[in-house]
Amino acid sequence: MKKRIIAMFLAATMAFSLAACGSGNGGNTESAPASSSGEEAEAGSEEAAESSEGEAAGGTDMNIAMITDSGDITDQSFNQTTYESCKAWAEANGAEFTYYKPDSDSDEARNASVDQAVAGGANVIVMPGYMFAAAVVAQSDMYPDVKFVALDVGAGDLCEKGVGEGYDYNPDNWDVTEYYNTDNVYCCTYQEEISGYMAGYAAVKLGYRHLGFLGGMSVPAVTRFGYGYVQGINDAAKELDVVGDVEVEYVCGGQFYGDADITAAMDTWYGTKGVEAVFACGGGIFTSAVEAAVKTGGKVIGVDSDQAPVIDQTQEGLTITSAMKGLSATVNTVLTDIKDGKWSDYAGKIDNLGMVSENPEENFVQLPMASTQWGEGFQEEDYKALVKAIYNGEVKISNDISAMPATDVKVTDYGSIK
């Protein structure tokens, strides 16, 4: 690999430049993360590297670190689900676990957190979100004895950071393996369009006719959720012969958190336009949809994990369903296989996880069986039938995000609020 010689030199020099971890270098930092301070201190990286190598060889003595992206472990979404899954697995399997929160939303800060984790003895680092592509490119060669598990990081993300200027945003035109160490990295993405489809389909079947989509930043994962949602709405409307009665408002907030501006836009949707339910898809941005929905008796659809326990704290019965990714299933499966010495099954792969079974709860994309508001138009048995039809290929869902899907229902795309 072209970067290996340079990376070996860099790894040797890192002993003198690793960022200090501050308090909570190891163990489980539940109340306070080990965050990047930007200060330099002697970190003993050579000992950490030797420790990582020995632990990794056996596949059993695991020291796990999880790093947050631009959010934190209370975002009720991607970071929190990953954190809780890693923590629970570590406790159940007697492994050390620490999480790290970068001191800013930047590639440099996330890279510094990787340095901290390695200095703290981590030999497995779990990184949730496409923002970690830069860390995979920059750090995987530097720490060859550390196993990197990058959730929701795809070939396009890696190529964008690896190629840099001149990248044409078509990963098929590039050899992604040139830009990271395939020996110690596992990446996966999720077929968000499928669970987005399920959520939209369910909403129409349950009687909702004026629907909204509030995305975070307009990144591929968010767009796949949104375009799948629109396809599900359209198919359900055609099945019920209510195409003329169904309408969709579509917008992205331009960020992964709610604020006054986004809440104001949602107030207009729910209060003026008559939107009945909004699929809030983008980390903490759901808070703006929730704030607006409770004023008018509207509903919300969650994302990534089952968000009903959180959203419904504001108002009981507020959440129709959630379009989930199997983050917990991924974490549990990969960490268990690392413990069992099966890393070779993962190294260098970029999986696109989706449907693996007719059983809804075995899939990496699904709706929550326990908290979905089943009704006369869409009951558990109807959901199971839909899952079976998707798994068997009877229902086709496009993952093309080059343009809004063609629909029979009216879709108004407002672009981005910010």
Side-chain angles (χ1 to χ4, degrees), residues 68 216 305:
T68 61
S305 60

Side-chain angles (χ1 to χ4, degrees), residues 76 300-303 305-322 324 368 370-373:
Q76 313 296 344
V300 177
I301 295 171
V303 75
S305 60
D306 181 2
Q307 291 191 311
V310 176
I311 294 175
D312 288 0
Q313 288 179 6
T314 304
Q315 184 179 94
E316 187 176 354
L318 192 61
T319 313
I320 297 172
T321 190
S322 296
M324 302 196 309
S371 66
T372 295
Q373 294 182 14

